Amino acid sequence: MRKALLVAISLLSAGAYAGESNHVVGGSIGYGVQDFESDDGKEFGAGDNLVGDIYYRYMLNDNFGIEAGLMSSTGNGGIGTAISSIFASVDNISYKGARAVVYGQVPLSESNHLYAKAGMSANQLNYDVSGFFSSDVIKSIESDGSDFYGAVGWGIRFQSGLGLNIEYQYVPVQELKVQNFSIGMSYRF
């Protein structure tokens, strides 16, 4: 009986500490648009994309932290991709990578805040090049690079440590400029 009581008290103590910790894990899913810049400098719409993101953040104090995460996207998102693939010579765009950012937040109340993220991403971009009005793939391109990563958003954190957020991301990935809107969930432990 004593051991069970000790375990119960320990678990309750850990729950009370959950909102005060410096550690945050989270993830988000989103939808966005992407623009592709060709070798000759022309920019054209390359459709839409679905994006996923997972991260770990260490809060240095109440308002600033550092964050590392993984991101992945597929350019076969929806109607925008279906329409643009008829006219564009670039198709099947996808990217993935790791990112490291500085995180800052401005509290609006005790539980909600505005935030911004800025840093770098190391990424891999894949796409197929085909002829105009043709579905024949001329070549498949895979390239690696590092680029800026930026995001702004609004979040709310509950007393349980659970948080929800809405975020706008600007992610240039080599020849691709991606703008996403995401919804996410995190847990501070």
Side-chain angles (χ1 to χ4, degrees), residues 12 20-21 41 71 76 92 112 115 118 150 154 161 180 184 189:
L12 290 174
E20 304 301 319
S21 174
M71 59 186 182
N76 299 323
N92 298 323
N112 70 78
Y115 66 87
W154 170 83
N180 297 318
F189 64 98

Side-chain angles (χ1 to χ4, degrees), residues 107-128:
L108 298 175
S109 71
E110 186 177 334
S111 61
N112 70 78
H113 57 276
L114 297 176
Y115 66 87
K117 302 176 186 182
M120 296 295 292
S121 70
N123 48 59
Q124 179 182 48
L125 175 63
N126 301 309
Y127 58 93
D128 295 332

Side-chain angles (χ1 to χ4, degrees), residues 58-128:
Y58 180 78
M59 295 299 292
L60 302 170
N61 60 35
D62 288 342
N63 297 317
F64 294 98
I66 52 176
E67 184 175 294
L70 299 173
M71 59 186 182
S72 181
S73 170
T74 176
N76 299 323
I79 190 70
T81 298
I83 292 170
S84 69
S85 65
I86 296 170
F87 303 105
S89 61
V90 176
D91 199 13
N92 298 323
I93 300 171
S94 66
Y95 67 88
K96 60 184 173 182
R99 62 180 178 78
V101 299
V102 175
Y103 172 90
Q105 68 182 26
V106 176
L108 298 175
S109 71
E110 186 177 334
S111 61
N112 70 78
H113 57 276
L114 297 176
Y115 66 87
K117 302 176 186 182
M120 296 295 292
S121 70
N123 48 59
Q124 179 182 48
L125 175 63
N126 301 309
Y127 58 93
D128 295 332

